[in-house]
Amino acid sequence: METKGYAVLEASKPLVPYQFSRRELRPTDVALRIDYAGICHSDIHQAREEWGPALFPMVPGHEIAGVVTDIGSAVTKFKVGDRIGVGVFIDSCRKCASCKAGLEQYCIEGMTGTYNGYERDGKTIAQGGYSDAFVVDQDYAVTIPSNLDMAGVAPLLCAGITLYSPLKNWGAGPGKKVGIIGLGGLGHMGLKFAVALGAHTTVFSHSPSKAQDAKDMGAHDFVVTKDPATLAAMPKDFDLILNTVSADMDLTPFLERLKLDGTLVLIGLPGKPYEISTPTLLAQRRSIAGSMIGGIAQTQEMLNFCGEHSIVSDVEVIQPDYINEAYERTVKSDVKYRFVIDASKF
Ligand code: NAP
Ligand code: ZN
Ligand code: ZN
């Protein structure tokens, strides 16, 4: 299937228009017309090889919202015209304990990424969502509730599920105090979900200009992190803090804000490892954990939750020729709060 998109041809080079073909439909595949594709900071990390060597040409994009245009002969889950989404992975082994438990992102063989990896045949480079069409196995796509705006939905496929999953896993809800570090694409979804789940929610941000937006999204508190004294003066009373920052940072002042048995969940993925203060960790039997996106079943649960609570991402819709500028602005934390590409313009 002939497809138009934008690709990075070499690490750190600007994205350029790119034409390629996608596979013909297998019996359990669906084809979709992509309507919108979100720009995740992980796209930038990979296009710039900040996580190590990457595969080029690379069509990034793993926040995909579109409409089914064709189905394979054995497809039962979707029909032509359905609004569906595809996220960070397009396949997995389907046999291991994680896959069987609906935790495909933790597949023991490794999930098959939407781009910057090989498909399960081991030789075709998977190409992502900055394009006008997509082909995916029905088991790795989800249904988009009919009441939600498609542009605002696209970021839910990565940013949304990546914050929804740890909030559910660590029991965010009434009576719990939750902190979100970084009000970017992921962080603003974490804020919306934590508030909707009933938790007392604090945003930690290095951008004072985001205070009003955070309040408008329901934040109970907004703490500017530029001055270490501000954090040091706060009580140690958080149950859960989710760190979505994309850059290197000192975790200790945040770890210190956790109460007994509190957990700091690492979600942001800067290239360098963190330094951990052991005394701070053991002082209140605190934990540091990690969390990666979410499985297909939980992604559907998250979308249904969004449908019930009318939650979508706050987006700036852009044309494909603005992607390179959008990357620069994202790195400067200058996006409100996710860039989404209008895929009808490829
Ligand atoms: P983003 O939109 O760029 O947001 C990151 C936020 O971090 C910024 O808006 C900013 O918030 C804060 N920040 C950035 N640079 C900073 C600095 N130098 N010092 C302090 N704070 C800084 O990125 P994103 O798309 O949300 O992704 C965030 C991270 O999560 C990336 O590393 C990405 O690769 C990773 N990620 C992980 C998963 C997973 O499964 N675990 C999934 C998707 C993405 P303020 O302006 O409010 O401070
Ligand atoms: Zn992502
Ligand atoms: Zn598996």
Side-chain angles (χ1 to χ4, degrees), residues 39-42 45 51 62 158 162 182-187 204-207 210 244-248 266-270 291-293 330-331 333 335 337-338:
I39 295 182
C40 178
H41 208 119
S42 301
H45 288 311
W51 294 345
H62 57 210
C158 174
T162 298
L183 194 68
L186 268 58
F204 295 100
S205 171
H206 84 315
S207 305
K210 295 181 181 174
T244 75
V245 171
S246 49
D248 297 330
L266 303 182
I267 295 168
L269 270 170
S291 185
M292 189 170 76
I293 41 174
T330 301
V331 171
S333 309
V335 48
Y337 276 86
R338 196 57 136 191

Side-chain angles (χ1 to χ4, degrees), residues 232-244:
M234 291 177 69
K236 304 176 196 309
D237 62 352
F238 281 84
D239 298 279
L240 176 66
I241 299 182
L242 308 181
N243 178 26
T244 75

Side-chain angles (χ1 to χ4, degrees), residues 30-345:
V30 297
L32 56 144
R33 174 195 81 218
I34 299 180
D35 288 344
Y36 295 98
I39 295 182
C40 178
H41 208 119
S42 301
D43 301 343
I44 305 173
H45 288 311
Q46 292 174 89
R48 299 182 174 179
E49 288 195 325
E50 290 167 0
W51 294 345
L55 280 179
F56 300 96
M58 177 197 294
V59 177
H62 57 210
E63 294 185 335
I64 300 168
V67 174
V68 176
T69 50
D70 198 4
I71 58 171
S73 56
V75 168
T76 51
K77 193 173 163 187
F78 302 110
K79 58 182 188 319
V80 171
D82 284 355
R83 300 180 349 140
I84 68 169
V86 179
V88 177
F89 55 91
I90 50 167
D91 214 333
S92 64
C93 86
R94 306 175 187 226
K95 298 186 296 274
C96 73
S98 299
C99 284
K100 284 191 173 153
L103 297 166
E104 300 90 349
Q105 76 276 31
Y106 302 123
C107 174
I108 215 78
E109 286 184 13
M111 63 181 186
T112 306
T114 305
Y115 67 88
N116 190 22
Y118 291 100
E119 294 187 8
R120 293 201 79 76
D121 64 9
K123 36 183 208 258
T124 313
I125 298 181
Q127 299 293 11
Y130 297 3
S131 58
D132 60 1
F134 204 79
V135 175
V136 67
D137 185 281
Q138 61 175 351
D139 291 338
Y140 292 79
V142 285
T143 299
I144 295 172
S146 58
N147 60 321
L148 299 179
D149 167 64
M150 283 295 256
V153 159
L156 302 178
L157 278 306
C158 174
I161 182 60
T162 298
L163 274 286
Y164 181 85
S165 186
L167 286 167
K168 293 291 281 192
N169 196 43
W170 277 276
K176 292 289 169 78
K177 220 177 151 184
V178 171
I180 309 278
I181 317 175
L183 194 68
L186 268 58
H188 91 292
M189 290 315 309
L191 168 57
K192 291 185 185 205
F193 287 139
V195 169
L197 289 166
H200 184 282
T201 310
T202 300
V203 171
F204 295 100
S205 171
H206 84 315
S207 305
S209 62
K210 295 181 181 174
Q212 190 55 49
D213 289 346
K215 291 274 161 69
D216 292 346
M217 289 182 222
H220 301 97
D221 287 311
F222 182 86
V223 178
V224 178
T225 55
K226 284 193 165 168
D227 180 3
T230 315
L231 284 174
M234 291 177 69
K236 304 176 196 309
D237 62 352
F238 281 84
D239 298 279
L240 176 66
I241 299 182
L242 308 181
N243 178 26
T244 75
V245 171
S246 49
D248 297 330
M249 61 181 283
D250 182 8
L251 296 178
T252 307
F254 298 98
L255 204 50
E256 275 171 351
R257 305 279 65 78
L258 293 173
K259 67 189 217 191
L260 178 69
D261 287 330
T263 305
L264 171 65
V265 183
L266 303 182
I267 295 168
L269 270 170
K272 275 201 244 153
Y274 299 104
E275 265 186 41
I276 307 292
S277 160
T278 310
T280 311
L281 195 59
L282 50 83
Q284 292 295 320
R285 201 164 60 185
R286 297 166 170 128
S287 302
I288 296 182
S291 185
M292 189 170 76
I293 41 174
I296 293 294
Q298 197 176 39
T299 303
Q300 188 61 63
E301 176 191 312
M302 178 272 311
L303 285 172
N304 296 347
F305 182 88
C306 289
E308 282 155 29
H309 294 263
S310 297
I311 293 175
V312 286
S313 173
D314 290 14
V315 297
E316 293 189 41
V317 176
I318 61 165
Q319 305 302 309
D321 62 6
Y322 192 78
I323 295 173
N324 292 303
E325 202 165 331
Y327 272 30
E328 294 308 321
R329 284 185 48 200
T330 301
V331 171
K332 288 188 223 143
S333 309
D334 173 26
V335 48
K336 292 191 165 181
Y337 276 86
R338 196 57 136 191
F339 285 115
V340 166
I341 307 160
D342 176 355
S344 69
K345 300 292 182 346

